[in-house]
Amino acid sequence: MENNIRQLRKAAGLRQEDLAQALGVTRQTINAIENNKYDPTPTLGLAMRLARLLNTPVEEIFHLPET
C-alpha cells in the first residue's frame, strides 16, 4: 500500500518527530510508513489518527499502487 504522508506532513509544516509525537509512535515508525517499508500496513486506528491530524480523508492518504 502506498501513501502520501510525506507530502501531507510537509504541507502541514510538521517534522517526522512532530508527527510521531502527536501519534504516540516513534520517528522511525513514521519514516518506515513514509517509505512504504512499514510491515504490517498501519492499523486502522493509526490510519484514522493520521487522517484526523493531517485533516485529510484516509482514502487520500493511503492507496493501492496502480497495476
Side-chain angles (χ1 to χ4, degrees), residues 5-64:
I5 296 172
R6 177 177 286 123
Q7 296 87 339
L8 293 166
R9 174 181 58 76
K10 288 183 176 185
L14 298 169
R15 300 173 303 149
Q16 285 183 341
E17 293 86 359
D18 301 327
L19 189 57
Q21 184 175 12
L23 295 170
V25 298
T26 65
R27 184 200 58 77
Q28 290 84 356
T29 297
I30 299 300
N31 187 16
I33 294 170
E34 286 184 354
N35 289 300
N36 298 314
K37 295 185 178 184
Y38 188 78
D39 193 35
T41 304
T43 64
L44 181 57
L46 180 55
M48 297 295 285
R49 291 194 319 266
L50 273 165
R52 184 178 300 144
L53 185 67
L54 296 172
N55 197 32
T56 305
V58 172
E59 300 85 12
E60 291 184 25
I61 297 175
F62 296 97
H63 51 90
L64 295 173

